[in-house]
Amino acid sequence: MTRRCIVLLSGGLDSMLAIRIMQEQGIEVEALNFKTIFTCCQDQSAQVARDLGVRLTVVGQEDDYLDLVEKPQFGRGKGANPCVDCRIYMFEKAKRFMEQIGADFIVSGEVAGQRPMSQKRRDLDRIAHHSDLDDLLLRPLSAKLMRPTLPEREGWVDREQLYDIEGRSRKRLIALAKKYGLKDIPTPSTGCSLTEPKFSKKVFDLMDAPGESRRWDYELLKVGRHFRFNSQTKVILGRDEAENDQLRYAHQLSDANSTASLFPENFLGPRAMLIGPRTDEAIEFAASLILRYSRDYDAGNALIRVDDEIINASETEQAKALQTIAAS
Ligand code: SF4
């Protein structure tokens, strides 16, 4: 009887190898890519799935994902990345998918000791246990360093043809890629903004702000320059036309958390969005930021549209803006 597994496909070399190893053993493979608002590698995974001849399903996060980003049970990496909790969440989703489609087990390309956060031996055990997969989760690249899983004990997978790779070196992985005929070897990347120091700073700034942050607020962390006015209020400024459009669109959404949208009326410059109490001071702060990032405006008559009204931004406000400290 042909057994079927689900391989978590990030689009990286490890998950490509995991697929190839299973295919070599005659196991039917379904690929699953997990997408969060912070990841960006689903296009690469689609190409990889095509190249390897497997069907790909992309699963998105639900709103409860943000709970673990804000309060991870197992800590974070160097940035805001809660990798262990995130992997548990992914594998819980994979388990549900496995049950839906009647697959037999889950496979992941994780390599013991490769990443400081989430791939230490203890973390790999934790992830298998807390996702309720336990020995239905097989890591073929490091399987020989671990206890045999159910697919190995049952003989669905031949343990002798699995590997004992450990650590950060890619040497053995690249040799395996050659052995399995993989030509386009991707460079290592998490593809996740939560690991980036600059982006993480914005995430922590949002978490420190009073009130509950929602998906809308997190989505906007990827857009524009962020300036904090006070603990409750911040301004986002578009960096180009596309971002100006994104800010305009986000402000119009029914779940928008923004309180004002500002745009130059008689000169060229960025759009600004205000999040937090719409006080005169906050509007002036946002207007002065627009002037700071604009050229060729009449300092005495720089008109800015604030939703349905027009204000004249003064030089004084521009001077204020120059003293602001960017939150990002
Ligand atoms: S790098 Fe990002 S997507 Fe990957 S496990 Fe960590 S938090 Fe999750």
Side-chain angles (χ1 to χ4, degrees), residues 155-203:
W156 306 340
V157 171
D158 178 4
R159 183 173 168 88
E160 284 314 303
Q161 294 183 49
L162 304 181
Y163 297 90
D164 57 355
I165 302 174
E166 188 171 25
R168 303 179 69 113
S169 165
R170 281 176 41 101
K171 229 171 162 181
R172 287 185 69 194
L173 299 174
I174 289 170
L176 274 187
K178 285 191 186 133
K179 174 181 168 185
Y180 287 112
L182 301 176
K183 290 195 186 79
D184 298 323
I185 299 176
T187 46
S189 153
T190 65
C192 172
S193 327
L194 291 174
T195 60
E196 293 165 14
K198 246 178 129 178
F199 188 82
S200 296
K201 202 176 150 200
K202 287 196 266 190
V203 173

Side-chain angles (χ1 to χ4, degrees), residues 36 39 65 81-83 86-87 90 115 118 190 192 194-195:
T36 79
T39 52
Y65 181 77
N81 48 314
C83 290
C86 176
R87 300 292 292 176
M90 284 184 201
R115 294 204 173 139
S118 86
T190 65
C192 172
L194 291 174
T195 60

